[in-house]
Amino acid sequence: CSSDLDHGCRGIADRDFTCKLLSCVGDSINHHWVKGNTSPNSHCTVCNEPCGLEAALADFRCCWCQRTVHTACMGKLDEVCDLGRHKASLVPPYCVRLRMVGWKGRRHLVVRCVNPPKYLPWSPLIVVANRRSGNNDGEHVLSAFRGILNPAQVVDLNDLPPESGLEWCHLIKDHTCRIIVAGGDGTINWIFTVMDRLKLEPPPPLCVLPLGTGNDFARVFGWGEGYSSSDINVIDVLDSIDQATVENIDRWKIHISPQRRLGFASPCQEKYMTNYFSVGVDALVTLNFHKTRQSWLYFWKNRLFNKFLYITYGTRDLLEKKCRDLPQKVRLWLDGERKNVDHLEAITVLNIPCWGAGVRPWHMGAGGQLAQPQRYDDGLLEVIGLYSSFHVAQLQVGISEPVRLGQAKEVKLELLERLPVQVDGEPWEQAPATLLITFHCQASVLVNQREVQ
């Protein structure tokens, strides 16, 4: 219900205050008034005078419609709540039916079915986040959205798998859900992959509340460079979602065929890409950062410190030059045509215009003016080469341009030795193998027209 309280008072609040309903009977719901906790610029719905000006818990706010009202004006307001201006995104509790599952001692409620409300339009918003994301910003995101929507619509990936959140799309018939993911580029690709596995029809459009480090997906579709818990305004986010348009984005399959060793071959793997794939120096920097982030010594979980780590590992590679022999370790084909990769230390395959925390390399520099148009829904990939980590730094500040290797519908890489690779910011060390990148499908995304870059 978005009540503000001291951590030590949580038990008292759970005992003395009724929280938001997940489910109820009937075809309407009354206002759920919370005393105090009004925003500084709120006004009374009845008399339009400012609320919450007293230095005490005063006046009331409905945690469904978000209206505020003076104590003296409450009697003049209808008891039935109309759920406010964001009711199209909200699943009313009288539409939800729950059931108890699990064994004794571990029983919990799950949503059994959802009946559509009588009003239109209705396109419920499902929030998927991990409370440990960012500098624990995910916990604030979850709490803020639970204060506006039905708490059952808000899924914490730390407690439940993403399938639990996306199951709403199966429960709600004849209406299209919308998904908002609070996280980084890797989380978005993960959710898209789960959506493919669940075979959701029609595929729900997805948008992102960027909590990662690079947030290139969010930059392309207008959802910002990154949020922290102090600057997330859920009402503004919901307004942007209501005004967003739906577009398609290509997704790509990476088929990995390991080379035989001693007459034996490891099983083939398939991964999926939404933003970009790379092998070489930028993947090495990402891998080193990932190892640091997994370490128990990683205390400073914030975006600025993460970028500092990227700079540190990039600078270290200037001295170590671990990828200087990349041309002897990698072979590249674009649509069956062998490409020269001499002098390169990285090969990057782009699906979206943004890469490397905001860099748009394909159209950079003088050569960018002559380059073919780049789109995320044209069935083509753009492939670029990078000379070194210093070259990456030059691209970051806009004083250089990449080596444009071409556009292709199919990209094939043959790795002759163990090399660092990454997909959408998720790195690993790949043993010798053949990687074939081909078109997989199209997904639906929400484009923030108010701030699209």
Side-chain angles (χ1 to χ4, degrees):
C1 59
S2 289
S3 296
D4 296 325
L5 50 92
D6 184 78
H7 184 74
C9 299
R10 184 172 179 176
I12 300 174
D14 288 341
R15 183 191 65 203
D16 295 346
F17 299 102
T18 303
C19 205
K20 295 178 76 170
L21 294 172
L22 302 180
S23 174
C24 66
V25 296
D27 57 3
S28 65
I29 188 171
N30 290 344
H31 289 289
H32 185 135
W33 296 112
V34 178
K35 190 172 184 178
N37 296 277
T38 58
S39 61
N41 58 348
S42 59
H43 289 73
C44 177
T45 300
V46 176
C47 67
N48 204 34
E49 293 295 324
C51 285
L53 297 180
E54 301 177 35
L57 282 178
D59 304 328
F60 290 85
R61 173 185 57 84
C62 175
C63 59
W64 288 112
C65 65
Q66 307 306 312
R67 290 185 175 91
T68 53
V69 63
H70 293 128
T71 304
C73 297
M74 286 189 67
K76 302 176 183 179
L77 199 64
D78 190 354
E79 290 186 356
V80 177
C81 181
D82 65 359
L83 303 177
R85 73 174 192 263
H86 295 297
K87 64 181 181 180
S89 299
L90 195 149
V91 180
Y94 54 80
C95 295
V96 179
R97 297 294 176 264
L98 304 175
R99 62 186 175 93
M100 189 73 72
V101 298
W103 297 94
K104 185 177 180 180
R106 297 180 61 88
R107 293 174 67 80
H108 61 279
L109 291 169
V110 297
V111 178
R112 175 171 58 87
C113 66
V114 179
N115 301 314
K118 296 179 181 179
Y119 58 80
L120 292 174
W122 187 60
S123 182
L125 180 69
I126 309 303
V127 182
V128 180
N130 188 328
R131 66 173 177 266
R132 299 184 185 275
S133 293
N135 187 23
N136 290 326
D137 294 326
E139 185 169 9
H140 177 80
V141 170
L142 291 165
S143 175
F145 274 102
R146 284 171 180 148
I148 306 293
L149 306 175
N150 188 326
Q153 295 173 243
V154 184
V155 179
D156 185 356
L157 294 177
N158 195 62
D159 296 330
L160 297 169
E163 289 85 352
S164 297
L166 298 176
E167 183 62 23
W168 280 91
C169 302
H170 283 147
L171 293 171
I172 296 173
K173 307 296 184 182
D174 303 322
H175 294 271
T176 302
C177 291
R178 295 169 294 175
I179 310 294
I180 181 168
V181 179
D185 292 331
T187 306
I188 296 164
N189 191 46
W190 178 29
I191 298 299
F192 272 137
T193 302
V194 173
M195 289 167 60
D196 290 343
R197 189 164 63 244
L198 294 177
K199 295 181 171 59
L200 300 178
E201 290 295 340
L206 179 146
C207 66
V208 59
L209 195 66
L211 300 180
T213 302
N215 301 317
D216 291 300
F217 183 94
R219 295 170 193 264
V220 170
F221 295 104
W223 298 105
E225 300 178 0
Y227 285 94
S228 63
S229 58
S230 60
D231 56 17
I232 296 174
N233 187 318
V234 172
I235 296 296
D236 286 347
V237 173
L238 291 176
D239 287 338
S240 296
I241 291 174
D242 287 341
Q243 298 176 35
T245 58
V246 179
E247 293 187 10
N248 292 327
I249 182 174
D250 297 333
R251 298 196 68 241
W252 300 82
K253 179 170 65 176
I254 305 174
H255 184 81
I256 304 174
S257 303
Q259 293 182 2
R260 286 183 171 272
R261 290 185 176 182
L262 302 176
F264 297 95
S266 301
C268 295
Q269 291 181 292
E270 286 186 349
K271 294 183 178 292
Y272 298 92
M273 178 187 83
T274 304
N275 297 348
Y276 41 73
F277 165 88
S278 68
V279 54
V281 65
D282 64 328
L284 175 63
V285 171
T286 304
L287 180 62
N288 287 332
F289 167 74
H290 181 74
K291 289 178 179 178
T292 301
R293 188 169 57 177
Q294 299 299 316
S295 169
W296 64 274
L297 294 172
Y298 181 66
F299 297 116
W300 297 279
K301 298 180 180 179
N302 64 70
R303 192 174 295 111
L304 183 62
F305 182 69
N306 289 346
K307 291 183 177 180
F308 171 75
L309 285 177
Y310 271 104
I311 294 172
T312 300
Y313 288 124
T315 304
R316 189 175 79 177
D317 186 73
L318 285 174
L319 304 175
E320 296 179 348
K321 291 282 186 180
K322 288 188 175 181
C323 296
R324 63 175 175 268
D325 297 327
L326 190 74
Q328 285 74 51
K329 302 175 183 178
V330 176
R331 296 171 184 165
L332 172 68
W333 290 265
L334 302 185
D335 288 337
E337 180 183 350
R338 178 80 178 269
K339 291 293 181 178
N340 182 10
V341 295
D342 289 348
H343 310 298
L344 298 180
E345 291 191 15
I347 298 169
T348 300
V349 182
L350 303 172
N351 183 45
I352 62 174
C354 231
W355 161 86
V359 179
R360 294 175 178 258
W362 186 249
H363 289 293
M364 292 183 73
Q369 306 300 319
L370 304 175
Q372 293 295 318
Q374 182 183 22
R375 292 183 57 86
Y376 43 74
D377 60 354
D378 59 357
L380 290 174
L381 293 167
E382 288 71 35
V383 185
I384 61 174
L386 306 170
Y387 289 123
S388 64
S389 58
F390 182 66
H391 188 198
V392 173
Q394 289 178 308
L395 293 175
Q396 294 276 356
V397 296
I399 60 174
S400 184
E401 58 183 285
V403 179
R404 295 174 186 83
L405 298 171
Q407 291 179 307
K409 296 180 179 179
E410 179 182 283
V411 177
K412 178 181 175 182
L413 296 115
E414 186 177 346
L415 309 188
L416 305 178
E417 294 186 20
R418 194 175 191 88
L419 288 169
V421 299
Q422 67 155 332
V423 174
D424 291 354
E426 299 298 322
W428 73 95
E429 284 188 292
Q430 178 60 52
T434 299
L435 284 69
L436 184 64
I437 306 176
T438 56
F439 179 80
H440 173 56
C441 68
Q442 283 195 326
S444 297
V445 295
L446 289 169
V447 182
N448 184 1
Q449 295 296 339
R450 299 198 297 180
E451 297 187 24
V452 67
Q453 298 182 16

